[in-house]
Amino acid sequence: APLAGAWVQLVTTEGVNHVARTVISDAAGRYTIDDVPDGHYLLGFQHPLLDSLGVDPTLRVLDVARHRPVRVDLASPSPERLRAAVCGPQSPMVTGAGAAVIGVVRDARDGVPVAGALVTGEWMELVIRPRHVAPERMRVAATTSTNGWFGLCNVPNGGEMFLSARRGADTTDLIEVQVPISGFLRRELYLGLGDGQLRGTVVTVDGNRPLAGAMVRVSDGPQARAKDRGEWMLMDVPAGSRVLEVHAIGYYPVQRAVDVIPDAPPVRVTMATFKSVLDTVRIIVEHASDRSQGGFEQRRRSGMGRYVTVADIQRYGAAQTSDVLRTIAGVRVDDVNPFGMVQGAGGAGEGSDRVIRMRSAFFGGLCSPAIYLDGMHMFQMSAGELDVLTNPKDLKGIEVYSSGMVPPQFERGLSGCGSIVIWTKR
């Protein structure tokens, strides 16, 4: 892509007459240096992008003779060269985990680089050992230099991972990133001790219509509902890199990394209906006689989790699926008031939302498990959304797994929580 605003510099490398010229590339990345005497030159460019990448500009050698025009195209290094510059040559024995993630940690208040911050990258891998296959949490870490720069090496190519930064008691949220197959990713992170604000709109993917009533919140922070025009604003949001979550009944939840900094641009969120997603799933599984692909009974015999059968569901006589979850040991359905405070079952009253939580074997306390419906991960699904999409009489089975016991196909990210897998007869 064209690189606008680059400072292109031309200097002589020999001769008694010193020539030095500097021009700035335009919006199309073009530059022109006029009236260049014949001679031997070095040509290069500087740009904030290169500074954030932590690499020096590449210099080109050129000759100007007989006053003829010379065309020289300049570019930032390729992802492969950048990865090699940061991490060194890749071993031929390393496949799939030779990528690099680099960036700069900045102060959320003024954008000044933060030195001495600890940046951590984490991801899950399937580790195969004799008679044992299990997911394992992988981790790399680096400390930012004096200019706030960091580099993480040997992370998965073309895979999902999570980044966080910490300096003392100040920390970012766990930010999900997708490392491209090229093996190089740049991501800036912001740390801040104060509070800020976020604003934006929520619209539908189909028709670009405002989605009034959508619940917008920051993880472990404030929440608000979108107004008639889909507009929303969050006040007193912890400064820094955070995770924004958006929910609306009948729509697939959205999670997005945002930077809470002064003068942050509005955040535009588009949401797709469950129907647009689930129709595809129904087409795929129409030819299967068992929505759980025969795995429910096999996993049940393994004894690795807790299981609810059709007979159990009929015996409970529950009116809603969330009521079935209340009967499972270690699982809770709690009310959340409009201010985002969890008040326990039945405590928030009219207008409250309900969240599904379970005890974390990894961190201790309560956490939000990953919810799977007929094999599909339903990101941050609330109890109300689950009750809209399912009915107890249509349930075929429920599987509940604590952290560390989750089958690989139902393991989601690095939440440190377990998973709840719900199968229906439809």
Side-chain angles (χ1 to χ4, degrees):
L3 187 61
W7 290 65
V8 183
Q9 296 181 323
L10 178 77
V11 297
T12 52
T13 60
E14 58 185 24
V16 295
N17 296 324
H18 178 73
V19 177
R21 304 282 178 81
T22 301
V23 296
I24 300 176
S25 63
D26 63 16
R30 297 171 300 195
Y31 71 93
T32 301
I33 303 176
D34 295 322
D35 300 324
V36 179
D38 290 352
H40 196 61
Y41 295 91
L42 287 178
L43 181 70
F45 73 96
Q46 296 178 339
H47 192 276
L49 173 64
L50 289 182
D51 295 337
S52 67
L53 292 174
V55 297
D56 294 327
T58 300
L59 300 179
R60 298 284 299 275
V61 178
L62 62 96
D63 290 301
V64 177
R66 302 177 185 177
H67 302 288
R68 292 178 178 175
V70 178
R71 178 185 176 93
V72 182
D73 293 332
L74 303 172
S76 60
S78 67
E80 292 77 13
R81 291 186 63 187
L82 287 170
R83 192 213 63 78
V86 174
C87 302
Q90 183 172 351
S91 169
M93 301 298 294
V94 177
T95 58
V101 177
I102 64 96
V104 176
V105 177
R106 301 184 182 276
D107 192 304
R109 295 166 296 184
D110 51 22
V112 173
V114 176
L118 179 65
V119 180
T120 303
E122 299 178 85
W123 67 95
M124 299 297 295
E125 285 187 1
L126 278 180
V127 179
I128 303 176
R129 297 187 178 92
R131 302 181 184 178
H132 182 64
V133 178
E136 186 171 314
R137 186 189 303 260
M138 312 301 291
R139 182 177 184 271
V140 293
T143 301
T144 58
S145 58
T146 54
N147 62 353
W149 186 89
F150 69 89
L152 302 175
C153 296
N154 297 324
V155 304
N157 278 349
E160 175 188 277
M161 65 175 299
F162 296 82
L163 297 178
S164 63
R166 176 183 297 274
R167 180 185 57 178
D170 188 12
T171 182
T172 67
D173 284 347
L174 205 60
I175 305 299
E176 182 178 348
V177 297
Q178 191 73 29
V179 182
I181 196 65
S182 62
F184 186 85
L185 174 69
R186 172 181 171 269
R187 180 64 161 90
E188 293 199 346
L189 298 171
Y190 289 85
L191 285 170
L193 291 175
D195 291 333
Q197 67 178 35
L198 280 176
R199 59 191 176 91
T201 55
V202 183
V203 298
T204 62
V205 171
D206 182 15
N208 201 33
R209 298 184 304 274
L211 194 54
M215 179 64 71
V216 184
R217 65 187 178 195
V218 170
S219 297
D220 298 324
Q223 64 180 19
R225 287 194 179 275
K227 298 180 181 179
D228 292 342
R229 295 183 178 180
E231 299 171 339
W232 54 268
M233 177 175 288
L234 295 176
M235 306 295 294
D236 300 324
V237 183
S241 297
R242 305 295 170 196
V243 176
L244 184 73
E245 301 172 2
V246 185
H247 299 259
I249 296 296
Y251 289 82
Y252 199 75
V254 173
Q255 183 186 47
R256 177 181 298 181
V258 294
D259 295 320
V260 183
I261 56 178
D263 301 321
V267 181
R268 181 181 176 85
V269 178
T270 57
M271 304 189 74
T273 63
F274 280 123
K275 183 177 184 296
S276 66
V277 178
L278 295 180
D279 275 351
T280 303
V281 176
R282 283 197 291 269
I283 293 172
I284 293 173
V285 301
E286 261 184 349
H287 302 292
S289 59
D290 186 350
R291 296 298 293 272
S292 70
Q293 303 297 308
F296 180 88
E297 288 300 330
Q298 181 179 357
R299 290 187 293 272
R300 183 185 177 195
R301 288 193 293 269
S302 73
M304 293 294 290
R306 296 185 293 277
Y307 300 84
V308 179
T309 65
V310 173
D312 296 327
I313 296 169
Q314 293 175 346
R315 185 170 65 253
Y316 298 148
Q320 300 182 104
T321 300
S322 60
D323 294 330
V324 178
L325 296 182
R326 295 180 194 270
T327 66
I328 304 174
V331 179
R332 294 182 52 166
V333 178
D334 291 330
D335 291 328
V336 179
N337 66 21
F339 301 101
M341 303 295 294
V342 177
Q343 298 190 217
E350 183 178 356
S352 66
D353 291 312
R354 291 173 297 142
V355 296
I356 303 168
R357 302 197 296 167
M358 63 185 297
R359 188 160 300 281
S360 171
F362 189 82
F363 293 114
L366 296 174
C367 59
S368 299
I371 307 294
Y372 286 81
L373 182 58
D374 288 330
M376 172 180 285
H377 178 243
M378 313 300 286
F379 175 77
Q380 293 290 335
M381 171 175 276
S382 69
E385 292 166 337
L386 179 62
D387 289 337
V388 168
L389 293 176
T390 61
N391 188 297
K393 69 181 182 184
D394 296 324
L395 298 182
K396 188 168 187 178
I398 299 176
E399 308 173 39
V400 179
Y401 300 98
S402 300
S403 177
M405 302 178 64
V406 184
Q409 64 269 38
F410 302 130
E411 180 74 48
R412 184 68 181 176
L414 303 168
S415 65
C417 204
S419 297
I420 298 177
V421 185
I422 301 169
W423 301 101
T424 68
K425 303 174 184 176
R426 293 178 294 174

